[in-house]
Amino acid sequence: MKRAALVLVVGLLAFLGTALPAHAHADLLMSTPEDGAVLASAPDEVVLTFSEELLPDTVVVSVADETGMAVRVLSLEVAGPDVIVTWPPGMTGVEYDVNYRVVSQDGHPIEGTVSFAVESAPSATDAPSVAAVEAPTPAPVADG
């Protein structure tokens, strides 16, 4: 009888242990562009997707170029588990770190960095040269 009760208690604890929800913190699942990507052109936006919804008022994103200089973030939107950052136009040719600090629904802060590079646009010296052509001088018109 004791053995049967022990087996019942152990079975009940195992069942309850698997039935209870896990209290995990939010994790970064993916980013667009991906961490380490080299892009042909600058993205229109950077999207960070987390494993759960975030507390929108606690999301902080900063962008730094390869020298560590902060780059202005134009706008940021939190849509459930996604953080969408509008990329400043005209930024090419360097590496960028997108640093984030978010707070998950359980109040736990999560920090990290996603890095990517944008290839340089062709410089003036790389562009094909165009020879200057002198315009013909008009012939003088005789008064007559």
Side-chain angles (χ1 to χ4, degrees), residues 57-107:
D57 295 338
T58 64
V59 174
V60 176
V61 175
S62 64
V63 178
D65 66 15
E66 61 195 5
T67 66
M69 288 289 282
V71 176
R72 185 173 162 226
V73 172
L74 296 178
S75 72
L76 177 134
E77 176 188 349
V78 179
D82 294 331
V83 176
I84 304 160
V85 179
T86 301
W87 196 251
M91 296 176 51
T92 60
V94 295
E95 296 176 11
Y96 295 99
D97 289 332
V98 178
N99 304 298
Y100 61 87
R101 183 181 189 282
V102 300
V103 178
S104 60
Q105 291 291 323
D106 68 357

Side-chain angles (χ1 to χ4, degrees), residues 12-28:
L12 184 59
L13 288 174
F15 173 76
L16 290 176
T18 59
L20 295 175
H23 293 288
H25 306 303
D27 291 315
L28 181 67

Side-chain angles (χ1 to χ4, degrees), residues 5-71:
L6 181 60
V7 168
L8 181 62
V9 168
V10 169
L12 184 59
L13 288 174
F15 173 76
L16 290 176
T18 59
L20 295 175
H23 293 288
H25 306 303
D27 291 315
L28 181 67
L29 295 178
M30 64 179 283
S31 66
T32 306
E34 293 181 357
D35 189 34
V38 178
L39 308 175
S41 61
D44 292 330
E45 62 187 18
V46 174
V47 180
L48 306 173
T49 301
F50 293 87
S51 59
E52 66 180 60
E53 288 193 23
L54 306 170
L55 298 175
D57 295 338
T58 64
V59 174
V60 176
V61 175
S62 64
V63 178
D65 66 15
E66 61 195 5
T67 66
M69 288 289 282
V71 176

